[in-house]
Amino acid sequence: SFANAPRATLYGGEIETQKYFDLSSLPGDFFASRRALIVANYTYTKSRLKVGATDPVAAFPLSVTLANQLFRDGSPLTGQSDHLANVELGLEDQDHVSQQTLIMSYASVRTTRRGPSGQPDIREKPGFHLDFVAREGIEIQGVPAEVKFEVRNITGTKYQEYQQSGANRIYYNLYDVGTTATLGVALNF
């Protein structure tokens, strides 16, 4: 079951910018209705649990226990990276569905689960990812459709989930996710 710490503080900020560049002045019909797109955002977030010596928590059905037996004061919220950054570089047609986008993203280390019985928390290292997504509008026997092609994790970033105490690190999950490519068609009735 799930348990929530008695209190937490969370603060941060986000900045985002988006800019389009008209490409219609470039030679050739391909660029006549196209524009380039750059989107960048960064989020900083800091979170800390607040757990007192006598704070109760209902973690198990029909029982209440002390929160400090399940949570450590000052630990970050689960799933919360301090730093998130994304950059998108795209090309899109303004007259019909046609987009090609390169997506770069970064997330700093974050807690995924609380460590059992006072052990250190289990952490995840998402790191840097590079993806490519393309969409193209087509017609299949007069029915509008969309073809979508995706290549995810082009850099081959490995998934890492671990528990660490001092210099000792135990990996719970350490595997090569690999690069995946998918192709799909959606009909728009």
Side-chain angles (χ1 to χ4, degrees):
S1 79
F2 294 97
N4 292 315
R7 290 175 305 284
T9 59
L10 176 69
Y11 64 91
E14 180 176 10
I15 186 168
E16 179 168 314
T17 185
Q18 180 172 316
K19 178 73 175 161
Y20 290 99
F21 300 92
D22 183 17
L23 301 177
S24 62
S25 62
L26 294 176
D29 292 339
F30 179 80
F31 294 106
S33 60
R34 293 196 182 264
R35 64 184 180 180
L37 164 70
I38 296 175
V39 178
N41 67 30
Y42 171 75
T43 304
Y44 173 76
T45 309
K46 199 65 164 175
S47 63
R48 292 289 171 244
L49 299 179
K50 290 186 174 186
V51 181
T54 59
D55 289 337
V57 65
F60 308 103
L62 305 175
S63 70
V64 174
T65 188
L66 291 175
N68 65 5
Q69 292 178 352
L70 300 173
F71 304 102
R72 274 187 304 287
D73 188 56
S75 293
L77 293 170
T78 57
Q80 186 67 57
S81 291
D82 287 353
H83 306 278
L84 296 172
N86 298 288
V87 175
E88 293 181 33
L89 305 173
L91 187 63
E92 62 183 34
D93 194 305
Q94 297 179 81
D95 292 343
H96 70 278
V97 176
S98 179
Q99 294 177 319
Q100 301 79 35
T101 309
L102 196 60
I103 306 161
M104 297 165 274
S105 61
Y106 170 79
S108 63
V109 174
R110 58 184 167 226
T111 298
T112 57
R113 296 180 302 231
R114 298 291 166 213
S117 303
Q119 294 179 13
D121 290 340
I122 297 152
R123 317 255 349 238
E124 172 188 35
K125 184 179 177 185
F128 175 77
H129 285 266
L130 180 63
D131 302 325
F132 175 76
V133 178
R135 297 176 38 208
E136 192 68 37
I138 61 169
E139 272 193 25
I140 300 175
Q141 295 183 351
V143 177
E146 185 178 301
V147 176
K148 186 174 184 181
F149 176 68
E150 299 180 354
V151 182
R152 300 290 183 176
N153 196 21
I154 294 170
T155 55
T157 301
K158 291 178 176 22
Y159 180 79
Q160 298 180 47
E161 190 176 39
Y162 61 90
Q163 192 175 32
Q164 186 166 342
S165 179
N168 299 321
R169 183 179 282 191
I170 299 170
Y171 286 95
Y172 281 78
N173 290 300
L174 176 63
Y175 54 88
D176 190 352
V177 177
T179 301
T180 60
T182 57
L183 177 66
V185 176
L187 298 176
N188 301 323
F189 293 104

